[in-house]
Amino acid sequence: MDFARSSRGIYLRNPDQQLVKVIVSGPFGVGKTTIIRTLSEIPPLRTEEVMTATGSLVDHLHGVRDKTTTTVGLDYGRISLGDDLALCLFGTPGQKRFHALWEDLTRGALGALVLADTRRIGDSFEVMGMIEEQGIEYAVALNDFPDSPHYPEEDLRQALDLAPDTPLVTCDARDRGTSLNALLALAEHVLKLPALEQS
């Protein structure tokens, strides 16, 4: 059996696919691991560990009190957009102590999907600032939690200080359809592609 040939069929739809690095970022507890798990066509790599009582002193649980695990390295998944393009999704840890790792992960990325939470919108500013400093194009996806407050788009754009052409969408990181829409908004923005249709 030709293992390389069979592996290609499992891991890549087309061995000639262009692979593009995309960052999935945002503050602690915003849903980065969840959205990568939802979108990935391969079993995702996750580096989640159970939060400890000691860790809860470092990672403030305001607004995410039900959170029991945290990413301690990175998340990785991949999704094909058609036969010739695959997005490699690298999820960054949201805590400040991982900034050195974050900078390494963002190197060479074509774009970033920044997840935000309207219950604590200010938590997104630091991540967005770091992405802008790296010169990475991005889109913002508001992860819609059950108790998320809703605001007019114009108010949210102003609060986040978004450029007029920066995509701002809403998604549920547990739902493949809305998560894919968020990713496609980013892909269309950074790749300057015509509107992509869901398969």
Side-chain angles (χ1 to χ4, degrees):
M1 180 178 188
D2 184 341
F3 179 77
R5 181 174 296 172
S6 65
S7 296
R8 265 186 265 149
I10 295 170
Y11 292 107
L12 287 176
R13 288 185 188 175
N14 177 350
D16 298 322
Q17 270 184 323
Q18 179 182 359
L19 302 178
V20 174
K21 183 178 186 180
V22 170
I23 298 299
V24 177
S25 196
F28 172 68
V30 78
K32 301 177 295 292
T33 297
T34 300
I35 200 168
I36 289 176
R37 183 175 60 233
T38 298
L39 288 170
S40 184
E41 65 194 12
I42 61 172
L45 167 70
R46 295 181 300 163
T47 56
E48 275 193 309
E49 294 294 337
V50 174
M51 293 185 67
T52 63
T54 302
S56 67
L57 300 175
V58 179
D59 297 327
H60 302 289
L61 299 178
H62 176 71
V64 288
R65 296 209 178 275
D66 295 333
K67 188 166 177 58
T68 59
T69 61
T70 185
T71 300
V72 296
L74 64 96
D75 297 312
Y76 175 79
R78 193 190 64 235
I79 181 170
S80 296
L81 299 182
D83 291 331
D84 58 352
L85 177 66
L87 303 183
C88 300
L89 308 175
F90 287 82
T92 64
Q95 300 94 320
K96 191 170 187 175
R97 65 182 179 275
F98 292 112
H99 281 191
L101 173 61
W102 188 95
E103 289 177 3
D104 287 338
L105 284 176
T106 59
R107 193 169 293 119
L110 186 66
L113 182 64
V114 178
L115 290 182
D117 181 348
T118 58
R119 300 173 300 178
R120 47 195 182 97
I121 204 80
D123 290 359
S124 302
F125 298 156
E126 185 175 16
V127 170
M128 290 170 59
M130 292 182 352
I131 287 172
E132 289 172 356
E133 286 172 11
Q134 296 286 328
I136 300 172
E137 293 285 337
Y138 65 95
V140 176
L142 303 169
N143 192 8
D144 193 14
F145 292 90
D147 59 343
S148 293
H150 295 93
Y151 303 102
E153 181 175 339
E154 184 178 339
D155 293 350
L156 287 165
R157 284 187 164 279
Q158 184 173 359
L160 292 166
D161 195 25
L162 296 181
D165 65 335
T166 300
L168 176 64
V169 298
T170 299
C171 73
D172 178 339
R174 303 164 300 177
D175 175 71
R176 184 170 176 80
T178 60
S179 296
L180 183 57
N181 285 342
L183 192 61
L184 291 178
L186 171 67
E188 291 162 10
H189 178 59
V190 299
L191 298 173
K192 310 303 185 217
L193 296 172
L196 294 164
E197 294 184 6
Q198 291 188 44
S199 55

